[in-house]
Amino acid sequence: MLHSKTFVKKTRGGKVNKQVREHYLRDDIYCGAPICKVCDSSAARLSPSASTILIVDTNVVLHQIDLLENPAIDDVVMLSIVLEEVKNKNMAVYNRVRALCSNSMRRFFVFANEHHKDTFVKEMNKESKNDRNDRAIRVAAQWYQNHLGGAARVLLITNDRENKRKAIEEGISAETIESYVKSLDQPNLLDLLVQPASEDVNMEEVEDLRPSKRKVIYAEHKPMSEITSGLHRGIYHQGKLRVNRYNPFEAYVGSESIGDEIIIYGRANMNRAFDGDIVAVELLPQDQWYEEKSLSIADEEDGEEDVHLVPNSADDAPRTTNVVQGSAGDAKIMSSRPSGFVVGIIKRNWHAYCGSLEPMPLPAGSGGTAHALFVSKDRRIPKIRIQTRQLENLLDKRIIVVVDSWDHLSRYPSGHYVRTIGEIGDRDTESEVVLIENDINSRPFSSQVLACLPSLPWSVSSEDLANPIRQDLRHLRVFSVDPPGCKDIDDALHCITLPNGNFEVGVHIADVTNFVLPGTPLDDEATQRGTSVYLVERRIDMLPKPLTEDICSLRADVERLAFSVIWEMTSEAEIISKRYTKSVIKSSAAMSYIEAQARMDDSRLMDPLTTDLRNMNTLAKIMRLKRIERGALTLASAEVKFQIDTETHDPLDIGMYQIREANQMVEEFMLAANVSVAEKILKHFPVISLLRRHPSPTREMLEPLLRTAAAVGLNLDVSSSKALADSLDHAVGDDPYFNKLIRILATRCMTQAVYFCSGDLSPQEYHHYGLAAPLYTHFTSPIRRYADVIVHRLLAASLEIQKLPSIFQDQPQLTSIADNLNYRHRNAQMASRASVELHTLIYFRKRPTDTEARIVKIRANGFIVFVPKYGIEGPVHLAPRSEKGSGEWFVDEQQQKIKKMDGSLSFSVLQTIRIHMEVVEPQPNRPKLQLTLI
Amino acid sequence: MEYVNPEGLRLDGRRPMEMRQIRAEIGSVAKADGSALFEMGNTKVIAAVYGPREVQNRSQQISDKALVRCEYSMANFSTGDRMRKPKGDRRSTEISLVIRQTMEACIMTHLMPRSQIDIFVQVLQADGGTRSACINAATLALADAGIPLRDLVTSCSAGYLNSTPLLDLNYVEDSAGGPDVTVGFLPKLDKVTLLQMDSKLSIDLFENVMQLAIEGCKAVANYIREILLENTKQLEYRRGL
Ligand SMILES: [Zn+2]
């Protein structure tokens, strides 16, 4: 264990102030080739039959990672100096290389050349760092060559001309990546290659026929040193660029130095920045703040809005700066918001994008290289130019493309093809696109994860029953109420009338943390997945099926482990006492909402279960009333439900999700349990509790709601959630749907609730606006949400029945877990929505329909309508798009009306109209749902 | 931050259970009764011992045992560009106390009543693990001064980063802010005489990390014994035995 004598200690200086670090060189670093007779080959990763061993340089890894990920490239030695350089330059690529190196299916071996006594090189006088590193790579390649003798060819892959020349001089075989890939004789691999910059000229062909071909389209980015000093002097502002999901020509940079969002209008001002890039922005002079706006609309070429699902929150909804143009009052509103332009990109957020090629005629001589434009499904991403040798194959496919570079002389970024997902419009392909786009891991669970599961068939053991921390509640009449067909039942209830007239009400939650132990592969996987994802035709589980559908699921008539919250309540639903315990329960009935509702409604039924249901329902109604009195918002969403053909998985019917009293009853007790648990864990762990908050909407966010309401003569008070709730209650129009419509409009103005770590915020910020609760968390669905798993552990620790895992000692890590949960949660929702949208499209493909719709927003050339029956909204055009904003239609911004110039026709917001819905294909393979006025 | 890469190497090329190169030299300060230089990697410490001698301040004299005093300081140049702390700051006072208590526990003070032993330790170069290096240097200096010891007390630290127990943290690893356990150990008696920890660690992990630090102490003890043996041989040789 002591350092061995063979280590030679070397020190190296560096940087401005001298830093001395020890650097140990070792003789126990092995080559990783099983054919080697000298080295310990127990950790060897290269294949025993490898004829060629590749050594790649840093730039090859950085630029050709997609190629390296292709199984055709194998037996690669990754030098530690290369990894180090990659890590410094691009963390995302580094993580991908690391994944390759640890993938047991691939033969990538990491050779710690920097710590090997024979391959470490000292910096020479006047040698630059890059040159030194290149030399280190060559020395390592030479070492391999000598070490393996003739057993295998060692090939250095480098695109650096100088490096290659020196290597060949030193007797190392070296090739460029292009020539190596060509020698493999697999034409498909060539598409994965990133084209070197010298070929850029050729790629210009795909540009549209502009008079001057190489004209400067974007301003050059400022050099990093200038950006740094500009940021320092306050001329530039740094922030993450967010492109408007509904208008890709508009972006926002949240800047801390200004304390406000800076708006960037138009591609020219965005200056090649992608969504998520960290950019440096310079503000425009104030008098130009509005002018840019009209420019952006002029620039708009494909800003067509598609039919989409009704947004459930402000995060889903289009940004509201998109005001109707042409009205005079706007200039002032606009000029209050700073606008600017991007001067440089500090950190790129480039990754792989899903989409398809823009339809184009096949070039005459097929088989050759073609240039094509790739259109991402994510509308925030600009078109990407790619080169392909298989154009014919790709035109009707969904493909994945990554960006390589974006020159200021070219209109579009250039990238390369990575892989094909499947045919456009095919349900499975499109579903996969939804998953990839939302970064959802749908791979089967690994064997290490599955190894953490208890063996099946599982049942409650005598140890579980004897465990002093676990209370035996099998005698209680526990039941569950869930959506029909629900297999992952994570909550159950019971209710007893006590002799004193009070009620004992219990909420029993599946004891997932009894099976998912901290630090296990199972736990790590669940942390990463964060939540189960519900698509229309399938569910992607956070935990493996044996847990979700069997061991943890609180099914009827089997004994299950639970974590219980038990209250004593008065008949006025006043909580007198609370207690929390791990338990063993045996559910007596697993009912669907419909069943439970039917029981309660059937006055002939007087059995104990039905009585329990009725008692609980009475309590829930009181609780709900109290909650609403406190100011909780009853918001409305337009959730739809599909009936899916079991054979073809195609949607058969579509309709609004019906909410029954039974749903509300269960929901009420879950809310109460979550609140009680939040109070308990925060009391014990003031800085490391995981809570959920819902920020109050700002007045600005509610602006569209107020404007619409004002147009129909409704005055909403938004001073507090209570005031808003009251005025929503009073918003009753002459038609029955009016109130729900207003609520739907209100819902989309709110942001979503988020998870956070209690130590990161002050207690006033813990507030949950929508529920009007000072504290809230998630406790009741540990089978499908990881947040609940964390909260279960916190609750168990607060009861001192289990130790808190070590992760809780690390607040920054807890914060990053909360951030990941928010990200996963959001993506899961987006995926669900996208899946519903996809199925809506499939459904209407064969069923053109006439239906009723409500106008929710007036546009210059028409309006946006909401179709209540199908929960979708989309544009209805009154005039052809080419005549947009001009011609015979006139918009009255104040009253939210659009009128025909001659006054013969007029439409106003919230008006009911009849529309025709039909799937059209304006371009081949690009079906979309079109709404037209009847 | 990755302190241990997937190949199992630390930033400086050591494996998790490896110590830095250690080196010791006896008798670097000729004027003192005993002295030693001790290096753990780039951490370099010098210790000088005076005594047992007459107690300077009579009022501090103890009738049945020796008075042990310790003064710890850091050379102004020891940390390079890092901020220098004034002498007598809380950290030095604390380390002085720690060294004094650790050394006192192994000196047979009852054999030298009414006398005084002074231990001076100075950090010449700091790169993590200064506390341990000081104790090791002081032990060697005491042995060099011929002061009767129960055992050779040695010290080593261990930490826990990237879910891996690491022996003998250097400055970079120490600055990661992870748990850092320093152990003082009597190898013959198999007893821990000093135990300090920064940050938090669960009890089972703590035991692992502490055990690792103890292994480190044992290795230091072996090395110190070799050095002393070598030194004794040289003394014998000089005496012409
Ligand atoms: Zn070998």
Side-chain angles (χ1 to χ4, degrees):
Chain A
M1 64 140 289
L2 182 58
H3 66 92
S4 104
K5 284 266 155 52
T6 49
F7 299 164
V8 185
K9 194 170 79 180
K10 291 249 167 84
T11 55
R12 52 178 186 190
K15 294 189 184 164
V16 187
N17 27 12
K18 193 175 166 192
Q19 300 243 334
V20 180
R21 298 268 177 274
E22 283 183 293
H23 191 94
Y24 289 92
L25 300 182
R26 323 183 55 99
D27 61 357
D28 63 347
I29 291 174
Y30 304 123
C31 67
I35 40 168
C36 176
K37 304 215 166 44
V38 197
C39 297
D40 174 4
S41 58
S42 57
R45 295 289 307 267
L46 303 173
S47 65
S49 57
S51 60
T52 305
I53 287 171
L54 303 179
I55 294 180
V56 290
D57 81 352
T58 311
N59 280 326
V60 169
V61 177
L62 280 172
H63 298 142
Q64 311 290 356
I65 181 72
D66 291 316
L67 182 73
L68 294 180
E69 281 174 348
N70 191 296
I73 308 287
D74 237 340
D75 286 315
V76 178
V77 169
M78 207 47 81
L79 302 177
S80 60
I81 183 69
V82 171
L83 281 174
E84 195 183 308
E85 284 192 300
V86 169
K87 190 178 183 181
N88 290 337
K89 291 207 171 106
N90 189 331
M91 205 57 199
V93 173
Y94 174 75
N95 289 333
R96 286 166 71 184
V97 183
R98 270 292 178 198
L100 275 177
C101 296
S102 59
N103 183 345
S104 57
M105 307 295 288
R106 302 298 303 273
R107 304 193 173 279
F108 276 60
F109 178 77
V110 179
F111 179 69
N113 70 312
E114 290 292 281
H115 290 286
H116 190 289
K117 65 179 171 43
D118 297 330
T119 58
F120 175 75
V121 299
K122 254 185 132 171
E123 207 161 291
M124 287 196 296
N125 209 4
K126 289 189 185 157
E127 189 182 38
S128 79
K129 200 161 183 208
N130 278 336
D131 289 343
R132 183 250 165 222
N133 292 346
D134 282 346
R135 190 159 59 86
I137 293 171
R138 291 198 304 274
V139 167
Q142 187 120 49
W143 181 86
Y144 259 90
Q145 203 160 310
N146 299 339
H147 180 80
L148 294 178
R153 182 169 80 118
V154 177
L155 182 63
L156 175 65
I157 307 272
T158 174
N159 275 17
D160 182 318
R161 208 169 290 167
E162 190 59 20
N163 196 14
K164 192 179 141 204
R165 186 185 62 78
K166 282 186 183 160
I168 291 170
E169 262 177 32
E170 290 162 18
I172 307 160
S173 21
E175 266 190 71
T176 63
I177 186 79
E178 286 81 17
S179 61
Y180 175 69
V181 170
K182 275 180 194 141
S183 72
L184 289 178
D185 205 27
Q186 292 188 36
N188 285 352
L189 286 181
L190 288 168
D191 273 10
L192 295 174
L193 267 183
V194 176
Q195 296 308 318
S198 60
E199 280 186 41
D200 246 3
V201 187
N202 293 336
M203 299 178 72
E204 285 301 313
E205 285 166 19
V206 79
E207 296 263 287
D208 39 17
L209 300 162
R210 281 160 193 279
S212 57
K213 265 196 157 186
R214 294 289 284 184
K215 120 175 152 176
V216 175
I217 293 172
Y218 300 102
E220 255 185 275
H221 288 156
K222 297 266 191 292
M224 205 53 217
S225 55
E226 211 171 300
I227 290 175
T228 317
S229 76
L231 287 173
H232 198 70
R233 284 180 296 152
I235 307 172
Y236 302 150
H237 307 277
Q238 179 177 342
K240 190 184 252 189
L241 185 100
R242 285 268 157 245
V243 178
N244 186 339
R245 197 175 282 277
Y246 297 89
N247 177 7
F249 300 95
E250 190 175 277
Y252 313 87
V253 175
S255 157
E256 278 181 16
S257 46
I258 292 202
D260 194 2
E261 275 186 336
I262 303 167
I263 307 180
I264 320 273
Y265 293 116
R267 285 266 155 83
N269 283 335
M270 282 199 240
N271 196 359
R272 295 172 277 156
F274 269 57
D275 181 69
D277 286 356
I278 309 286
V279 296
V281 178
E282 186 177 337
L283 289 186
L284 285 163
Q286 193 151 1
D287 55 323
Q288 288 177 31
W289 284 3
Y290 180 64
E291 274 173 52
E292 288 300 320
K293 163 79 182 155
S294 43
L295 260 182
S296 82
I297 284 171
D299 203 22
E300 197 167 345
E301 51 182 33
D302 53 359
E304 172 67 29
E305 208 166 314
D306 284 333
V307 174
H308 55 85
L309 271 188
V310 173
N312 270 332
S313 72
D315 309 320
D316 302 327
R319 294 290 292 241
T320 51
T321 44
N322 210 348
V323 285
V324 180
Q325 64 194 109
S327 49
D330 279 338
K332 272 183 205 134
I333 305 168
M334 293 311 301
S335 64
S336 65
R337 304 189 64 179
S339 88
F341 59 97
V342 173
V343 293
I345 289 156
I346 296 163
K347 195 160 182 277
R348 278 290 188 193
N349 181 41
W350 283 345
H351 50 90
Y353 302 100
C354 257
S356 49
L357 296 181
E358 198 164 71
M360 62 182 281
L362 282 175
S366 68
T369 309
H371 302 274
L373 275 178
F374 165 87
V375 185
S376 171
K377 268 215 86 180
D378 185 344
R379 300 188 42 204
R380 296 171 296 181
I381 306 304
K383 292 176 187 170
I384 301 165
R385 299 184 310 176
I386 67 159
Q387 261 193 68
T388 175
R389 285 163 187 79
Q390 38 175 343
L391 181 66
E392 207 178 334
N393 256 331
L394 297 186
L395 275 176
D396 59 344
K397 300 285 192 323
R398 287 277 180 219
I399 59 172
I400 294 182
V401 156
V402 298
V403 188
D404 302 322
S405 61
W406 196 347
D407 192 70
H408 71 288
L409 297 175
S410 60
R411 192 168 155 78
Y412 299 116
S414 28
H416 66 272
Y417 159 87
V418 180
R419 71 180 175 96
T420 303
I421 303 167
E423 255 169 60
I424 297 176
D426 174 63
R427 199 196 41 249
D428 294 341
T429 305
E430 298 295 344
S431 286
E432 201 184 330
V433 169
V434 165
L435 294 176
I436 295 172
E437 266 204 300
N438 291 296
D439 192 11
I440 289 164
N441 177 3
S442 60
R443 282 188 295 276
F445 289 96
S446 69
S447 50
Q448 290 101 307
V449 170
L450 294 175
C452 301
L453 301 180
S455 54
L456 288 173
W458 178 90
S459 61
V460 173
S461 67
S462 48
E463 291 99 82
D464 288 325
L465 286 169
N467 193 335
I469 65 163
R470 214 171 269 289
Q471 214 175 336
D472 188 351
L473 300 179
R474 287 176 294 173
H475 58 280
L476 292 176
R477 190 166 48 243
V478 172
F479 56 87
S480 63
V481 186
D482 286 285
C486 178
K487 284 181 184 152
D488 48 346
I489 304 172
D490 40 19
D491 51 81
L493 301 158
H494 88 267
C495 177
I496 308 173
T497 318
L498 297 173
N500 62 3
N502 287 346
F503 295 96
E504 181 189 280
V505 180
V507 169
H508 310 276
I509 307 298
D511 191 6
V512 172
T513 51
N514 190 64
F515 305 99
V516 181
L517 302 176
T520 55
L522 176 62
D523 189 45
D524 293 344
E525 181 75 21
T527 317
Q528 272 316 306
R529 295 195 179 211
T531 172
S532 293
V533 181
Y534 292 79
L535 302 186
V536 171
E537 81 285 14
R538 66 186 277 215
R539 182 183 81 208
I540 293 114
D541 285 322
M542 176 181 87
L543 295 169
K545 217 171 216 125
L547 276 184
T548 57
E549 291 190 356
D550 186 2
I551 299 170
C552 287
S553 183
L554 305 178
R555 295 181 301 153
D557 303 321
V558 284
E559 292 174 358
R560 285 291 176 255
L561 302 180
F563 209 159
S564 307
V565 178
I566 298 166
W567 302 287
E568 183 179 342
M569 282 185 183
T570 64
S571 52
E572 289 307 301
E574 212 64 66
I575 295 174
I576 297 173
S577 71
K578 314 169 195 180
R579 99 195 141 84
Y580 311 86
T581 179
K582 292 235 172 177
S583 57
V584 182
I585 59 163
K586 188 172 177 186
S587 172
S588 56
M591 288 172 278
S592 71
Y593 289 128
I594 308 158
E595 258 176 89
Q597 191 66 47
R599 270 177 183 270
M600 287 194 280
D601 293 346
D602 189 343
S603 54
R604 290 165 306 175
L605 286 177
M606 293 304 286
D607 60 293
L609 182 62
T610 312
T611 317
D612 286 354
L613 275 172
R614 288 196 188 119
N615 283 339
M616 289 196 97
N617 196 26
T618 317
L619 288 171
K621 277 183 180 163
I622 301 171
M623 287 157 76
R624 188 174 158 84
L625 209 64
K626 283 186 185 162
R627 198 160 56 82
I628 289 169
E629 263 166 30
R630 276 203 314 274
L633 296 172
T634 36
L635 298 172
S637 68
E639 258 183 87
V640 289
K641 210 174 135 27
F642 285 93
Q643 230 177 48
I644 299 283
D645 187 320
T646 43
E647 291 276 307
T648 62
H649 294 285
D650 280 337
L652 291 176
D653 197 11
I654 178 173
M656 294 303 291
Y657 189 81
Q658 203 185 347
I659 293 174
R660 294 182 172 80
E661 246 180 26
N663 296 39
Q664 292 180 339
M665 173 191 95
V666 174
E667 187 192 321
E668 210 52 54
F669 285 105
M670 295 306 137
L671 289 180
N674 287 336
V675 169
S676 291
V677 171
E679 287 164 359
K680 176 80 179 166
I681 58 173
L682 188 70
K683 194 174 139 212
H684 283 261
F685 305 108
V687 293
I688 51 162
S689 285
L690 183 77
L691 301 177
R692 190 164 169 84
R693 64 192 277 263
H694 184 210
S696 307
T698 60
R699 211 185 159 81
E700 193 202 351
M701 286 159 63
L702 293 167
E703 199 56 50
L705 172 68
L706 294 177
R707 203 178 333 186
T708 310
V712 293
L714 187 65
N715 203 0
L716 292 178
D717 182 356
V718 295
S719 52
S720 69
S721 80
K722 169 86 179 130
L724 177 59
D726 287 347
S727 41
L728 285 178
D729 287 342
H730 295 130
V732 205
D734 4 299
D735 73 297
Y737 200 71
F738 180 79
N739 188 272
K740 176 144 192 212
L741 198 57
I742 287 287
R743 284 186 199 275
I744 288 175
L745 291 179
T747 312
R748 70 169 59 173
C749 293
M750 316 277 173
T751 51
Q752 284 180 330
V754 287
Y755 298 110
F756 68 100
C757 169
S758 58
D760 292 344
L761 294 172
S762 64
Q764 302 90 278
E765 294 171 288
Y766 295 176
H767 192 75
H768 195 296
Y769 177 83
L771 297 175
L775 281 184
Y776 193 66
T777 193
H778 271 165
F779 169 74
T780 51
S781 300
I783 295 181
R784 56 189 176 87
R785 286 189 309 228
Y786 191 75
D788 305 55
V789 173
I790 295 179
V791 169
H792 274 230
R793 289 185 184 143
L794 283 164
L795 182 63
S798 74
L799 300 173
E800 290 171 4
I801 56 180
Q802 247 148 32
K803 269 195 312 185
L804 212 51
S806 56
I807 176 86
F808 287 97
Q809 284 157 16
D810 190 352
Q811 201 192 320
Q813 191 158 3
L814 217 54
T815 306
S816 79
I817 289 181
D819 290 345
N820 181 52
L821 289 179
N822 287 326
Y823 172 73
R824 297 292 169 194
H825 203 75
R826 170 110 199 89
N827 284 3
Q829 278 179 329
M830 304 257 290
S832 300
R833 292 172 57 83
S835 173
V836 172
E837 277 165 16
L838 170 65
H839 282 80
T840 309
L841 190 71
I842 296 173
Y843 176 79
F844 283 108
R845 212 186 266 166
K846 288 178 208 142
R847 303 177 181 80
T849 311
D850 292 348
T851 186
E852 205 162 80
R854 308 290 293 242
I855 298 175
V856 290
K857 196 187 281 169
I858 301 290
R859 280 290 173 86
N861 57 334
F863 33 75
I864 305 287
V865 296
F866 162 54
V867 188
K869 193 173 171 200
Y870 305 114
I872 54 171
E873 69 172 29
V876 171
H877 298 295
L878 290 171
R881 257 164 46 77
S882 50
E883 294 167 33
K884 161 162 70 174
S886 62
E888 47 187 337
W889 293 93
F890 162 78
V891 174
D892 181 344
E893 168 72 6
Q894 204 63 42
Q895 296 204 295
Q896 291 272 305
K897 274 187 174 157
I898 184 162
K899 292 177 192 159
K900 216 163 190 170
M901 279 303 183
D902 58 13
S904 61
L905 255 175
S906 128
F907 296 97
S908 59
V909 76
L910 300 191
Q911 186 184 333
T912 309
I913 54 165
R914 283 198 64 80
I915 55 157
H916 176 71
M917 302 170 66
E918 189 175 2
V919 174
V920 292
E921 280 194 30
Q923 287 175 313
N925 302 319
R926 307 292 185 279
K928 59 181 242 181
L929 191 57
Q930 192 177 51
L931 312 180
T932 44
L933 190 66
I934 302 179
Chain B
M1 177 80 186
E2 193 178 69
Y3 291 94
V4 186
N5 67 22
E7 288 69 54
L9 292 181
R10 290 153 74 171
L11 295 173
D12 55 7
R14 285 183 287 157
R15 295 197 191 276
M17 311 280 222
E18 284 171 355
M19 236 158 68
R20 290 175 286 178
Q21 186 113 312
I22 52 177
R23 200 179 78 84
E25 199 181 298
I26 290 181
S28 342
V29 184
K31 207 173 169 228
D33 295 318
S35 65
L37 186 78
F38 198 88
E39 288 178 30
M40 299 175 88
N42 279 336
T43 297
K44 197 178 236 185
V45 171
I46 194 162
V49 168
Y50 291 87
R53 57 185 180 184
E54 213 176 325
V55 178
Q56 282 167 339
N57 183 350
R58 284 284 161 143
S59 64
Q60 290 180 336
Q61 182 176 308
I62 309 168
S63 59
D64 58 344
K65 61 177 191 175
L67 169 70
V68 178
R69 300 204 314 174
C70 176
E71 194 180 306
Y72 160 93
S73 62
M74 277 179 102
N76 291 350
F77 52 80
S78 63
T79 54
D81 48 42
R82 266 177 284 136
M83 274 291 257
R84 186 175 59 83
K85 296 199 180 76
K87 203 180 164 189
D89 64 333
R90 280 171 71 176
R91 186 171 173 271
S92 343
T93 317
E94 186 252 342
I95 297 185
S96 300
L97 186 73
V98 165
I99 300 172
R100 203 201 80 210
Q101 286 174 342
T102 312
M103 301 329 289
E104 210 172 9
C106 79
I107 298 173
M108 299 171 129
T109 47
H110 62 280
L111 297 179
M112 299 159 280
R114 284 187 285 277
S115 61
Q116 164 175 345
I117 299 167
D118 288 295
I119 306 169
F120 298 93
V121 276
Q122 187 166 37
V123 177
L124 302 179
Q125 191 168 288
D127 186 28
T130 48
R131 223 170 271 241
S132 297
C134 287
I135 291 173
N136 296 333
T139 302
L140 266 177
L142 284 170
D144 183 37
I147 289 170
L149 300 175
R150 286 188 178 85
D151 196 353
L152 293 168
V153 62
T154 57
S155 170
C156 190
S157 70
Y160 187 74
L161 288 171
N162 296 154
S163 310
T164 321
L166 300 179
L167 185 60
D168 187 21
L169 304 185
N170 65 23
Y171 176 71
V172 181
E173 292 166 334
D174 198 25
S175 319
D180 173 14
V181 179
T182 302
V183 172
F185 186 68
L186 299 174
K188 276 231 172 96
L189 304 174
D190 199 24
K191 272 189 179 148
V192 171
T193 56
L194 167 71
L195 186 58
Q196 286 190 309
M197 178 161 78
D198 294 343
S199 185
K200 282 190 281 186
L201 202 55
S202 75
I203 188 73
D204 24 328
L205 280 176
F206 169 74
E207 273 166 20
N208 282 341
V209 174
M210 184 175 99
Q211 199 51 47
L212 183 61
I214 290 176
E215 292 303 318
C217 294
K218 288 181 182 163
V220 172
N222 285 338
Y223 179 71
I224 284 184
R225 245 181 244 127
E226 261 175 49
I227 290 289
L228 286 173
L229 206 63
E230 183 70 20
N231 190 48
T232 316
K233 276 186 190 148
Q234 292 218 349
L235 287 176
E236 280 176 339
Y237 174 73
R238 271 185 229 153
R239 281 192 196 169
L241 286 167

